[in-house]
């Protein structure tokens, strides 16, 4: 039954979250690399959980191990220690989980394929019939605000448009769990805000479980429901913050809320310590 909006709704949502099932569980995760014969610790004893429908930002200075953690969650990189569970199954390196989608920072579009061929790539691999594929691709093109560009090649698009295509190429597979590694990191501020708007609209409608890596505090506060702050290398868990800003959020208006300002100055201080440690290294 649909509950009518009421003052009790916020509390009911909190109760929902406590009862929500755990989709990602990272337990005592560690990663050591060998760099020119010397072993160094990149990730050290990291544990956290992401619940169904949560949007969690993993925030920390460059080089603190964010991508390394995400790649281990995605099963793209072997662990040196600890465990990762997705829906209670241990993540096995090299095994693709169809419930998990990954959006990379770098532009990974096929330059020889058009926008619609790029977006439809995964459906093609999955062997979806042509008419069904065309229907879903057309809807994704529209959702991404790329109407009129379906036949364009990546080289004809701006950076923001290319990243929209990359986002849709993953979202069209309807992953329940979305891993994103600084997907808007290479974009200028204005384009980045537009991408935040697109992502917020999609997420607020579809509520995927998201683990989003970034070093940008403003971006984390705009998008996430929770921020996990990592220390400088080796990446360790430093603090965990709830971002209790109402939704739907607008990426510009959100910056004018009291909660944004309060969290920004609080987390900035803590994050700043880690940026300084990175520089002192
Ligand atoms: N394949 C690798 N071999 C050796 N060192 C690596 C490798 N991948 C990452 N590193 C190192 O591990 C640390 C964490 O890297 P990374 O996870 O990419 O950081 P972040 O994503 O937070 O910027 C960095 O010092 C980086 O140079
Ligand atoms: Mg990275």
């Amino acid at each position: 039954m649909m509950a009518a909006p009421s003052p009790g709704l916020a509390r009911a949502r909190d109760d929902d979250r406590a009862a929500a099932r755990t989709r990602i569980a990272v337990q005592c995760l560690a990663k050591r690399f060998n760099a020119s014969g010397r072993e160094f610790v990149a990730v050290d004893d990291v544990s956290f959980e992401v619940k169904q429908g949560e949007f969690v930002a993993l925030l920390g200075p460059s080089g603190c191990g964010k991508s390394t953690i995400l790649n281990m969650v995605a099963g793209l990189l072997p662990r040196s220690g600890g465990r990762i569970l997705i829906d209670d199954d241990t993540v096995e390196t090299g095994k693709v989980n169809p419930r998990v989608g990954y959006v990379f920072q770098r532009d990974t579009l096929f330059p020889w394929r058009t926008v619609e061929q790029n977006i439809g790539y995964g459906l093609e691999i999955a062997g979806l019939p042509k008419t069904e594929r065309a229907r879903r691709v057309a809807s994704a093109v529209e959702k991404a605000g790329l109407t009129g560009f379906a036949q364009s090649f990546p080289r004809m698009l701006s950076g923001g448009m290319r990243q929209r295509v990359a986002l849709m190429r993953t979202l069209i597979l309807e992953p329940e769990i979305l891993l994103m590694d600084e997907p808007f990191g290479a974009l200028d501020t204005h384009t980045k805000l537009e991408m935040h708007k697109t992502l917020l609209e999609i997420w607020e409608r579809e509520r995927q479980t998201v683990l989003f890596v970034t070093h940008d505090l403003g971006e984390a506060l705009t998008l996430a429901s929770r921020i996990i702050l990592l220390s400088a290398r080796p990446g360790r868990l430093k603090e965990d913050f709830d971002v209790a800003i109402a939704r739907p959020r607008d990426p510009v208006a959100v910056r004018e809320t009291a909660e944004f300002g309060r969290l920004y100055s609080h987390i900035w201080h803590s994050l700043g310590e880690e940026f300084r440690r990175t520089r002192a290294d």
Side-chain angles (χ1 to χ4, degrees), residues 31-36 40-43 60-71 77 105 181-182 213-215 230 233 235 281:
K31 182 68 188 176
R32 293 178 290 276
F33 283 118
N34 248 311
S36 43
F40 81 91
V41 182
V43 175
S62 290
C64 78
K66 302 181 294 299
S67 296
T68 302
I69 293 172
L70 206 68
N71 288 335
L77 187 72
Q105 166 166 13
D181 189 0
E182 312 219 34
V213 158
T214 182
H215 66 269
L230 295 169
R233 210 183 84 204
D281 240 14

Side-chain angles (χ1 to χ4, degrees), residues 175-186:
E176 296 170 21
I177 298 173
L178 204 49
L179 308 176
M180 306 181 88
D181 189 0
E182 312 219 34
F184 314 134

